[in-house]
Coordinates of all heavy atoms in Angstrom, one line a residue:
M1 N -15.2 -42.2 -40.4 CA -15.7 -41.2 -39.4 C -15.2 -41.5 -38.1 O -15.4 -42.6 -37.6 CB -17.3 -41.2 -39.5 CG -17.9 -40.3 -38.4 SD -19.7 -40.3 -38.4 CE -20.1 -41.7 -37.4
S2 N -14.5 -40.6 -37.4 CA -14.1 -40.8 -36.1 C -15.2 -40.5 -35.1 O -16.1 -39.7 -35.4 CB -12.8 -40.0 -35.7 OG -13.2 -38.6 -35.8
E3 N -15.2 -41.2 -34.0 CA -16.2 -41.0 -33.0 C -15.7 -40.2 -31.8 O -14.5 -40.3 -31.4 CB -16.8 -42.3 -32.5 CG -17.6 -43.0 -33.6 CD -18.3 -44.3 -33.1 OE1 -18.2 -44.6 -31.9 OE2 -18.9 -45.0 -33.9
A4 N -16.6 -39.5 -31.1 CA -16.2 -38.8 -29.9 C -17.3 -39.2 -28.8 O -18.4 -39.4 -29.1 CB -16.2 -37.3 -30.1
R5 N -16.8 -39.3 -27.6 CA -17.7 -39.6 -26.5 C -18.3 -38.3 -26.0 O -17.7 -37.3 -25.8 CB -17.0 -40.3 -25.4 CG -17.9 -40.8 -24.3 CD -17.2 -41.8 -23.4 NE -16.9 -43.0 -24.0 CZ -17.8 -44.0 -24.1 NH1 -19.1 -43.8 -23.7 NH2 -17.5 -45.1 -24.7
L6 N -19.6 -38.4 -25.7 CA -20.4 -37.2 -25.1 C -21.0 -37.7 -23.8 O -21.7 -38.7 -23.8 CB -21.5 -36.8 -26.1 CG -22.4 -35.7 -25.7 CD1 -21.6 -34.4 -25.5 CD2 -23.5 -35.5 -26.7
S7 N -20.8 -37.0 -22.8 CA -21.3 -37.4 -21.5 C -22.2 -36.2 -21.0 O -21.8 -35.1 -21.0 CB -20.1 -37.6 -20.5 OG -20.6 -37.9 -19.2
I8 N -23.4 -36.6 -20.6 CA -24.3 -35.6 -20.1 C -24.9 -36.0 -18.7 O -25.0 -37.2 -18.5 CB -25.5 -35.2 -21.0 CG1 -26.4 -36.5 -21.3 CG2 -24.9 -34.7 -22.3 CD1 -27.6 -36.2 -22.1
R9 N -25.4 -35.1 -17.9 CA -26.1 -35.5 -16.7 C -27.6 -35.1 -16.9 O -27.9 -34.1 -17.5 CB -25.5 -34.7 -15.5 CG -24.1 -35.0 -15.2 CD -23.7 -34.2 -13.9 NE -22.3 -34.5 -13.7 CZ -21.8 -35.5 -13.0 NH1 -22.6 -36.5 -12.6 NH2 -20.5 -35.6 -12.8
T10 N -28.4 -36.0 -16.4 CA -29.8 -35.8 -16.4 C -30.5 -36.5 -15.2 O -29.9 -37.4 -14.6 CB -30.4 -36.3 -17.8 OG1 -31.8 -35.8 -17.9 CG2 -30.4 -37.8 -17.9
D11 N -31.7 -36.2 -15.0 CA -32.5 -36.8 -13.9 C -32.7 -38.3 -14.3 O -33.0 -38.6 -15.4 CB -33.8 -36.0 -13.8 CG -34.8 -36.6 -12.8 OD1 -34.7 -36.3 -11.7 OD2 -35.6 -37.5 -13.2
S12 N -32.6 -39.1 -13.3 CA -32.7 -40.6 -13.5 C -34.1 -41.0 -14.0 O -34.2 -41.9 -14.9 CB -32.3 -41.4 -12.3 OG -33.2 -41.1 -11.2
D13 N -35.2 -40.3 -13.5 CA -36.5 -40.6 -14.0 C -36.7 -40.2 -15.5 O -37.3 -40.9 -16.3 CB -37.6 -39.9 -13.1 CG -37.7 -40.5 -11.7 OD1 -37.3 -41.7 -11.6 OD2 -38.1 -39.8 -10.8
L14 N -36.1 -39.0 -15.8 CA -36.2 -38.6 -17.2 C -35.4 -39.6 -18.1 O -35.9 -39.9 -19.2 CB -35.6 -37.2 -17.3 CG -35.5 -36.6 -18.7 CD1 -36.8 -36.5 -19.4 CD2 -34.8 -35.3 -18.7
K15 N -34.3 -40.0 -17.7 CA -33.5 -41.0 -18.5 C -34.3 -42.3 -18.7 O -34.4 -42.8 -19.8 CB -32.2 -41.3 -17.8 CG -31.4 -42.4 -18.6 CD -30.1 -42.8 -17.8 CE -29.4 -43.8 -18.6 NZ -28.2 -44.3 -17.9
K16 N -35.0 -42.8 -17.6 CA -35.8 -44.0 -17.8 C -36.9 -43.8 -18.7 O -37.2 -44.6 -19.6 CB -36.3 -44.4 -16.4 CG -37.1 -45.7 -16.4 CD -37.6 -46.1 -15.0 CE -38.8 -45.3 -14.5 NZ -40.0 -45.4 -15.3
D17 N -37.6 -42.7 -18.6 CA -38.8 -42.4 -19.4 C -38.3 -42.2 -20.9 O -39.0 -42.7 -21.8 CB -39.5 -41.1 -19.0 CG -40.2 -41.2 -17.7 OD1 -40.4 -42.4 -17.2 OD2 -40.6 -40.2 -17.1
A18 N -37.2 -41.6 -21.1 CA -36.6 -41.4 -22.5 C -36.2 -42.7 -23.1 O -36.5 -43.0 -24.2 CB -35.5 -40.4 -22.5
Q19 N -35.6 -43.6 -22.3 CA -35.2 -44.9 -22.8 C -36.5 -45.7 -23.2 O -36.4 -46.4 -24.2 CB -34.5 -45.7 -21.7 CG -33.1 -45.3 -21.5 CD -32.4 -46.0 -20.3 OE1 -33.0 -46.1 -19.2 NE2 -31.2 -46.4 -20.5
E20 N -37.5 -45.6 -22.4 CA -38.8 -46.3 -22.8 C -39.4 -45.8 -24.1 O -39.8 -46.5 -24.9 CB -39.8 -46.3 -21.6 CG -39.4 -47.1 -20.4 CD -40.3 -46.8 -19.2 OE1 -41.3 -46.1 -19.3 OE2 -39.9 -47.4 -18.1
L21 N -39.4 -44.4 -24.1 CA -40.0 -43.8 -25.3 C -39.2 -44.2 -26.6 O -39.8 -44.6 -27.6 CB -40.0 -42.3 -25.2 CG -40.3 -41.5 -26.4 CD1 -41.7 -41.7 -26.9 CD2 -40.0 -40.0 -26.2
F22 N -37.9 -44.0 -26.5 CA -37.1 -44.3 -27.7 C -37.0 -45.8 -28.0 O -37.0 -46.1 -29.2 CB -35.7 -43.7 -27.5 CG -35.7 -42.2 -27.4 CD1 -34.9 -41.6 -26.4 CD2 -36.4 -41.4 -28.2 CE1 -34.9 -40.2 -26.2 CE2 -36.5 -40.0 -28.0 CZ -35.7 -39.4 -27.0
G23 N -37.1 -46.6 -27.0 CA -37.2 -48.0 -27.3 C -38.4 -48.4 -28.0 O -38.4 -49.2 -29.0
R24 N -39.6 -47.7 -27.7 CA -40.8 -48.0 -28.5 C -40.7 -47.5 -29.9 O -41.3 -48.0 -30.8 CB -42.0 -47.3 -27.8 CG -42.4 -47.9 -26.5 CD -43.8 -47.4 -26.0 NE -43.8 -46.0 -25.9 CZ -43.6 -45.3 -24.8 NH1 -43.1 -45.9 -23.7 NH2 -43.7 -43.9 -24.8
M25 N -39.8 -46.5 -30.1 CA -39.6 -46.0 -31.5 C -38.5 -46.8 -32.2 O -38.2 -46.6 -33.4 CB -39.1 -44.6 -31.4 CG -40.2 -43.7 -30.8 SD -39.6 -42.0 -30.4 CE -40.2 -41.1 -31.8
G26 N -37.8 -47.7 -31.5 CA -36.9 -48.6 -32.2 C -35.4 -48.2 -32.1 O -34.6 -48.7 -32.8
F27 N -35.1 -47.2 -31.2 CA -33.7 -46.8 -31.0 C -33.4 -46.5 -29.6 O -34.3 -46.4 -28.8 CB -33.3 -45.7 -32.0 CG -34.2 -44.5 -32.1 CD1 -34.0 -43.4 -31.2 CD2 -35.3 -44.5 -33.0 CE1 -34.9 -42.3 -31.3 CE2 -36.1 -43.4 -33.0 CZ -35.9 -42.3 -32.2
D28 N -32.1 -46.2 -29.3 CA -31.7 -45.9 -28.0 C -31.4 -44.4 -27.8 O -31.6 -43.7 -28.7 CB -30.4 -46.7 -27.6 CG -29.3 -46.5 -28.6 OD1 -29.3 -45.5 -29.3 OD2 -28.3 -47.2 -28.6
I29 N -31.1 -44.0 -26.6 CA -30.8 -42.6 -26.3 C -29.7 -42.1 -27.1 O -29.8 -40.9 -27.6 CB -30.6 -42.4 -24.8 CG1 -31.9 -42.6 -24.0 CG2 -30.0 -41.0 -24.5 CD1 -31.8 -42.4 -22.5
S30 N -28.6 -42.8 -27.3 CA -27.5 -42.4 -28.1 C -28.0 -42.0 -29.5 O -27.6 -40.9 -30.1 CB -26.4 -43.4 -28.2 OG -25.3 -43.0 -28.9
T31 N -28.8 -42.8 -30.1 CA -29.3 -42.5 -31.5 C -30.2 -41.3 -31.4 O -30.1 -40.4 -32.3 CB -30.1 -43.7 -32.0 OG1 -29.2 -44.9 -32.0 CG2 -30.6 -43.5 -33.4
A32 N -31.0 -41.2 -30.4 CA -31.9 -40.0 -30.3 C -31.1 -38.7 -30.1 O -31.4 -37.7 -30.8 CB -32.8 -40.2 -29.1
V33 N -30.1 -38.7 -29.3 CA -29.2 -37.5 -29.2 C -28.5 -37.2 -30.5 O -28.4 -36.0 -30.9 CB -28.2 -37.7 -28.0 CG1 -27.2 -36.6 -28.0 CG2 -28.9 -37.8 -26.7
N34 N -28.1 -38.2 -31.2 CA -27.4 -38.0 -32.5 C -28.4 -37.4 -33.5 O -28.1 -36.5 -34.3 CB -26.8 -39.3 -33.1 CG -25.4 -39.4 -32.5 OD1 -24.5 -38.7 -32.8 ND2 -25.2 -40.5 -31.7
I35 N -29.7 -37.9 -33.5 CA -30.7 -37.3 -34.4 C -30.9 -35.8 -34.0 O -30.9 -34.9 -34.9 CB -32.0 -38.1 -34.2 CG1 -31.9 -39.4 -34.8 CG2 -33.2 -37.3 -34.8 CD1 -33.1 -40.4 -34.5
F36 N -31.0 -35.5 -32.7 CA -31.1 -34.1 -32.3 C -30.0 -33.3 -32.7 O -30.2 -32.2 -33.3 CB -31.2 -34.1 -30.7 CG -31.2 -32.7 -30.1 CD1 -32.3 -32.0 -30.1 CD2 -30.0 -32.2 -29.7 CE1 -32.3 -30.7 -29.5 CE2 -29.9 -30.9 -29.1 CZ -31.1 -30.2 -29.1
L37 N -28.8 -33.8 -32.5 CA -27.6 -33.0 -32.9 C -27.5 -32.8 -34.4 O -27.2 -31.6 -34.9 CB -26.3 -33.7 -32.4 CG -26.1 -33.7 -30.9 CD1 -24.9 -34.6 -30.6 CD2 -26.1 -32.3 -30.3
R38 N -27.8 -33.8 -35.2 CA -27.7 -33.7 -36.7 C -28.8 -32.7 -37.2 O -28.5 -31.9 -38.1 CB -27.9 -35.1 -37.3 CG -26.7 -35.9 -37.2 CD -26.9 -37.3 -37.9 NE -25.8 -38.2 -37.6 CZ -24.7 -38.2 -38.2 NH1 -24.4 -37.3 -39.2 NH2 -23.7 -39.0 -37.9
Q39 N -30.0 -32.8 -36.6 CA -31.0 -31.9 -37.1 C -30.7 -30.5 -36.7 O -31.0 -29.5 -37.5 CB -32.4 -32.3 -36.5 CG -33.6 -31.6 -37.2 CD -33.7 -32.0 -38.6 OE1 -33.7 -33.2 -39.0 NE2 -33.9 -31.0 -39.5
S40 N -30.2 -30.3 -35.5 CA -29.8 -28.9 -35.1 C -28.7 -28.3 -36.0 O -28.8 -27.2 -36.4 CB -29.2 -29.0 -33.6 OG -30.2 -29.4 -32.7
V41 N -27.7 -29.1 -36.4 CA -26.7 -28.6 -37.3 C -27.3 -28.4 -38.7 O -27.0 -27.3 -39.3 CB -25.5 -29.6 -37.3 CG1 -24.5 -29.3 -38.5 CG2 -24.8 -29.7 -36.0
H42 N -28.1 -29.3 -39.1 CA -28.7 -29.1 -40.4 C -29.5 -27.8 -40.5 O -29.4 -27.0 -41.4 CB -29.6 -30.3 -40.8 CG -30.3 -30.2 -42.1 ND1 -31.6 -29.6 -42.2 CD2 -30.0 -30.5 -43.3 CE1 -32.0 -29.6 -43.4 NE2 -31.0 -30.2 -44.1
D43 N -30.4 -27.5 -39.5 CA -31.2 -26.4 -39.4 C -30.5 -25.1 -38.9 O -31.1 -24.0 -39.0 CB -32.4 -26.6 -38.5 CG -33.4 -27.7 -39.0 OD1 -33.3 -28.1 -40.2 OD2 -34.2 -28.2 -38.2
Q44 N -29.3 -25.3 -38.3 CA -28.7 -24.2 -37.7 C -29.6 -23.6 -36.6 O -29.6 -22.3 -36.5 CB -28.2 -23.2 -38.7 CG -27.0 -23.7 -39.6 CD -25.8 -24.0 -38.8 OE1 -25.1 -23.1 -38.3 NE2 -25.4 -25.3 -38.6
A45 N -30.3 -24.4 -35.9 CA -31.2 -24.0 -34.9 C -31.7 -25.2 -34.1 O -31.4 -26.4 -34.5 CB -32.4 -23.3 -35.5
L46 N -32.3 -25.0 -33.0 CA -32.9 -26.1 -32.3 C -34.0 -26.7 -33.2 O -34.7 -26.0 -33.9 CB -33.6 -25.7 -31.0 CG -32.6 -25.3 -29.9 CD1 -33.3 -24.7 -28.7 CD2 -31.8 -26.5 -29.4
P47 N -34.2 -28.1 -33.2 CA -35.2 -28.7 -34.0 C -36.6 -28.6 -33.4 O -37.5 -29.3 -33.8 CB -34.7 -30.1 -34.1 CG -34.0 -30.4 -32.9 CD -33.3 -29.0 -32.5
F48 N -36.8 -27.7 -32.5 CA -38.1 -27.4 -31.9 C -38.1 -26.0 -31.5 O -37.0 -25.3 -31.4 CB -38.4 -28.3 -30.7 CG -37.4 -28.3 -29.7 CD1 -37.4 -27.4 -28.6 CD2 -36.4 -29.2 -29.7 CE1 -36.5 -27.3 -27.7 CE2 -35.4 -29.2 -28.7 CZ -35.4 -28.2 -27.7
R49 N -39.3 -25.4 -31.2 CA -39.3 -24.0 -30.8 C -39.4 -24.0 -29.2 O -40.5 -24.4 -28.7 CB -40.5 -23.3 -31.4 CG -40.6 -21.9 -31.0 CD -41.7 -21.2 -31.8 NE -42.9 -22.0 -31.7 CZ -44.1 -21.6 -32.0 NH1 -44.3 -20.4 -32.3 NH2 -45.2 -22.4 -31.9
P50 N -38.4 -23.5 -28.5 CA -38.5 -23.4 -27.1 C -39.7 -22.4 -26.7 O -39.9 -21.4 -27.4 CB -37.2 -22.8 -26.6 CG -36.3 -23.0 -27.8 CD -37.1 -23.0 -29.0
S51 N -40.4 -22.8 -25.7 CA -41.6 -22.0 -25.4 C -41.9 -22.0 -23.9 O -41.6 -22.9 -23.2 CB -42.8 -22.6 -26.1 OG -44.0 -22.0 -25.8
A52 N -42.3 -20.8 -23.5 CA -42.8 -20.7 -22.1 C -44.3 -20.7 -22.1 O -44.9 -20.2 -21.1 CB -42.2 -19.4 -21.5
E53 N -44.9 -21.2 -23.1 CA -46.4 -21.2 -23.2 C -47.0 -22.0 -22.1 O -46.4 -23.0 -21.7 CB -46.8 -21.7 -24.6 CG -46.9 -20.7 -25.6 CD -47.5 -21.3 -26.9 OE1 -46.7 -21.9 -27.6 OE2 -48.7 -21.2 -27.1
N54 N -48.2 -21.7 -21.9 CA -49.1 -22.5 -21.0 C -49.2 -23.9 -21.6 O -49.5 -24.1 -22.8 CB -50.4 -21.8 -20.9 CG -51.4 -22.6 -20.0 OD1 -51.6 -23.8 -20.2 ND2 -52.0 -21.8 -19.1
P55 N -49.0 -25.0 -20.8 CA -49.1 -26.3 -21.3 C -50.5 -26.6 -21.9 O -50.6 -27.4 -22.9 CB -48.9 -27.2 -20.1 CG -48.1 -26.4 -19.2 CD -48.5 -24.9 -19.4
D56 N -51.6 -26.0 -21.4 CA -52.9 -26.2 -22.0 C -52.9 -25.7 -23.4 O -53.6 -26.3 -24.3 CB -54.0 -25.5 -21.1 CG -54.2 -26.2 -19.8 OD1 -53.8 -27.4 -19.6 OD2 -54.7 -25.5 -18.9
S57 N -52.3 -24.5 -23.7 CA -52.3 -24.0 -25.0 C -51.5 -24.9 -26.0 O -51.9 -25.1 -27.1 CB -51.6 -22.6 -25.0 OG -52.4 -21.7 -24.2
I58 N -50.4 -25.4 -25.5 CA -49.6 -26.3 -26.3 C -50.4 -27.5 -26.6 O -50.4 -28.0 -27.8 CB -48.3 -26.7 -25.5 CG1 -47.4 -25.4 -25.4 CG2 -47.5 -27.8 -26.3 CD1 -46.2 -25.6 -24.4
E59 N -51.1 -28.1 -25.7 CA -51.9 -29.3 -25.9 C -53.0 -29.0 -26.9 O -53.3 -29.8 -27.8 CB -52.4 -29.9 -24.6 CG -53.4 -31.0 -24.8 CD -52.8 -32.3 -25.4 OE1 -51.5 -32.3 -25.6 OE2 -53.5 -33.2 -25.8
A60 N -53.6 -27.8 -26.7 CA -54.7 -27.4 -27.6 C -54.2 -27.3 -29.1 O -54.9 -27.8 -30.0 CB -55.4 -26.1 -27.2
R61 N -53.1 -26.7 -29.3 CA -52.5 -26.6 -30.6 C -52.2 -28.0 -31.2 O -52.4 -28.3 -32.3 CB -51.3 -25.7 -30.6 CG -50.8 -25.4 -32.0 CD -49.7 -24.4 -32.2 NE -48.7 -24.3 -31.1 CZ -48.8 -23.5 -30.0 NH1 -49.8 -22.7 -30.0 NH2 -47.9 -23.5 -29.1
R62 N -51.6 -28.9 -30.3 CA -51.3 -30.2 -30.8 C -52.6 -30.9 -31.2 O -52.6 -31.6 -32.3 CB -50.6 -31.0 -29.6 CG -50.2 -32.4 -30.1 CD -50.0 -33.4 -29.0 NE -51.3 -33.7 -28.3 CZ -52.3 -34.5 -28.8 NH1 -52.2 -35.1 -29.9 NH2 -53.4 -34.7 -28.1
Q63 N -53.6 -30.8 -30.4 CA -54.9 -31.4 -30.8 C -55.4 -30.9 -32.1 O -55.9 -31.6 -33.0 CB -55.9 -31.3 -29.7 CG -55.7 -32.1 -28.5 CD -56.7 -31.9 -27.4 OE1 -57.7 -31.1 -27.5 NE2 -56.5 -32.5 -26.2
A64 N -55.3 -29.6 -32.3 CA -55.8 -28.9 -33.5 C -55.0 -29.4 -34.7 O -55.6 -29.7 -35.8 CB -55.8 -27.4 -33.4
D65 N -53.7 -29.5 -34.6 CA -52.8 -29.9 -35.7 C -53.1 -31.4 -36.0 O -53.0 -31.8 -37.2 CB -51.4 -29.8 -35.3 CG -50.9 -28.3 -35.2 OD1 -51.6 -27.4 -35.7 OD2 -49.8 -28.1 -34.7
A66 N -53.5 -32.2 -35.0 CA -53.8 -33.6 -35.2 C -55.2 -33.9 -35.7 O -55.6 -35.0 -35.9 CB -53.4 -34.4 -34.0
G67 N -56.0 -32.8 -35.7 CA -57.4 -33.0 -36.1 C -58.2 -33.6 -35.0 O -59.3 -34.2 -35.2
E68 N -57.8 -33.4 -33.8 CA -58.5 -34.0 -32.6 C -59.3 -32.9 -31.9 O -59.2 -31.7 -32.3 CB -57.5 -34.5 -31.6 CG -56.6 -35.7 -32.1 CD -55.6 -36.1 -31.1 OE1 -55.4 -35.4 -30.1 OE2 -54.8 -37.0 -31.4
G69 N -60.1 -33.2 -31.0 CA -60.8 -32.2 -30.2 C -62.2 -32.0 -30.8 O -62.6 -32.6 -31.8
K70 N -62.9 -31.1 -30.2 CA -64.3 -30.7 -30.6 C -64.3 -29.9 -31.8 O -63.4 -29.1 -32.1 CB -65.0 -30.0 -29.5 CG -65.2 -30.8 -28.2 CD -65.9 -29.9 -27.2 CE -66.1 -30.7 -25.9 NZ -66.8 -29.9 -24.9
R71 N -65.4 -30.1 -32.6 CA -65.6 -29.3 -33.8 C -67.0 -28.8 -33.7 O -67.9 -29.4 -33.2 CB -65.4 -30.2 -35.1 CG -64.0 -30.6 -35.3 CD -63.9 -31.4 -36.5 NE -62.5 -31.9 -36.7 CZ -61.6 -31.3 -37.5 NH1 -62.0 -30.3 -38.2 NH2 -60.4 -31.8 -37.6
Y72 N -67.2 -27.6 -34.3 CA -68.5 -27.0 -34.3 C -68.9 -26.6 -35.7 O -68.1 -26.2 -36.5 CB -68.5 -25.7 -33.4 CG -68.0 -26.0 -32.0 CD1 -66.7 -26.0 -31.6 CD2 -69.0 -26.5 -31.0 CE1 -66.3 -26.3 -30.3 CE2 -68.6 -26.8 -29.7 CZ -67.3 -26.7 -29.4 OH -66.9 -27.0 -28.1
T73 N -70.2 -26.7 -35.9 CA -70.7 -26.3 -37.2 C -71.2 -24.9 -37.3 O -71.5 -24.3 -38.3 CB -71.9 -27.2 -37.6 OG1 -72.9 -27.2 -36.7 CG2 -71.4 -28.7 -37.8
S74 N -71.3 -24.2 -36.1 CA -71.7 -22.8 -36.1 C -71.1 -22.1 -34.9 O -70.8 -22.7 -33.9 CB -73.3 -22.7 -36.0 OG -73.7 -23.1 -34.7
V75 N -71.1 -20.8 -34.9 CA -70.6 -20.0 -33.8 C -71.6 -20.2 -32.6 O -71.1 -20.2 -31.5 CB -70.5 -18.5 -34.2 CG1 -70.2 -17.6 -33.0 CG2 -69.4 -18.3 -35.3
T76 N -72.8 -20.3 -32.9 CA -73.8 -20.5 -31.8 C -73.5 -21.8 -31.0 O -73.6 -21.7 -29.8 CB -75.3 -20.6 -32.4 OG1 -75.5 -19.4 -33.2 CG2 -76.3 -20.7 -31.4
D77 N -73.2 -22.8 -31.7 CA -72.9 -24.1 -31.0 C -71.6 -23.9 -30.2 O -71.5 -24.4 -29.1 CB -72.7 -25.2 -32.0 CG -74.0 -25.7 -32.7 OD1 -75.1 -25.3 -32.1 OD2 -73.9 -26.3 -33.7
L78 N -70.6 -23.2 -30.8 CA -69.4 -23.0 -30.0 C -69.6 -22.2 -28.8 O -69.2 -22.5 -27.7 CB -68.4 -22.2 -30.9 CG -67.1 -21.6 -30.2 CD1 -66.3 -22.7 -29.6 CD2 -66.3 -20.8 -31.2
M79 N -70.4 -21.1 -28.9 CA -70.7 -20.2 -27.8 C -71.5 -21.0 -26.7 O -71.2 -20.8 -25.5 CB -71.4 -19.0 -28.2 CG -70.6 -18.1 -29.1 SD -68.9 -17.6 -28.4 CE -69.4 -16.6 -27.0
A80 N -72.4 -21.8 -27.1 CA -73.2 -22.6 -26.2 C -72.3 -23.5 -25.4 O -72.4 -23.6 -24.1 CB -74.3 -23.4 -26.9
D81 N -71.3 -24.1 -26.0 CA -70.4 -25.0 -25.3 C -69.4 -24.2 -24.4 O -69.2 -24.6 -23.3 CB -69.5 -25.8 -26.4 CG -68.7 -26.9 -25.7 OD1 -69.2 -27.6 -24.8 OD2 -67.5 -27.0 -26.0
L82 N -69.0 -23.1 -24.8 CA -68.1 -22.2 -24.0 C -68.8 -21.7 -22.8 O -68.2 -21.6 -21.7 CB -67.6 -21.0 -24.8 CG -66.5 -21.3 -25.8 CD1 -66.2 -20.1 -26.7 CD2 -65.3 -21.9 -25.2
N83 N -70.1 -21.4 -22.9 CA -70.9 -20.9 -21.8 C -71.5 -22.0 -20.9 O -72.1 -21.7 -19.8 CB -72.0 -20.0 -22.3 CG -71.5 -18.7 -22.9 OD1 -70.5 -18.2 -22.4 ND2 -72.1 -18.3 -24.0
A84 N -71.3 -23.2 -21.3 CA -71.9 -24.4 -20.5 C -71.0 -24.6 -19.2 O -69.9 -24.3 -19.1 CB -71.9 -25.6 -21.3

């Protein structure tokens, strides 16, 4: 397999944060970008859904998917919490 060099520009704080994140996951930025590219080619799409959604909605969905957040046993309890 031949290799090609890819050069991108990004904010220095974003780069630092990404290096820390990927380091905790056990790989570097180059590996992360290759994962992104391979998954994009495999799916013939971005490996995530671009969204202009409100960040609170995104976080609420993440919590729901992860089984986090409040749970209610009745609509009455839900409504009481919403009205509090």
Side-chain angles (χ1 to χ4, degrees):
M1 173 177 88
S2 64
E3 292 188 1
R5 182 166 294 277
L6 176 67
S7 177
I8 63 170
R9 294 186 185 278
T10 191
D11 177 86
S12 60
D13 289 335
L14 176 59
K15 179 183 176 186
K16 181 179 79 60
D17 291 345
Q19 284 174 314
E20 290 173 5
L21 168 66
F22 299 134
R24 289 193 306 269
M25 299 170 101
F27 50 90
D28 59 16
I29 288 180
S30 181
T31 302
V33 169
N34 275 294
I35 290 169
F36 171 84
L37 294 173
R38 287 180 187 280
Q39 193 65 46
S40 296
V41 169
H42 178 269
D43 294 345
Q44 291 296 290
L46 289 172
F48 56 86
R49 182 175 45 160
S51 175
E53 271 187 276
N54 177 311
D56 291 337
S57 297
I58 295 169
E59 176 60 13
R61 187 173 32 266
R62 185 204 63 76
Q63 288 178 5
D65 290 346
E68 300 173 356
K70 294 182 180 180
R71 294 181 181 258
Y72 301 94
T73 57
S74 70
V75 173
T76 303
D77 292 342
L78 168 63
M79 296 306 294
D81 189 43
L82 289 173
N83 291 322

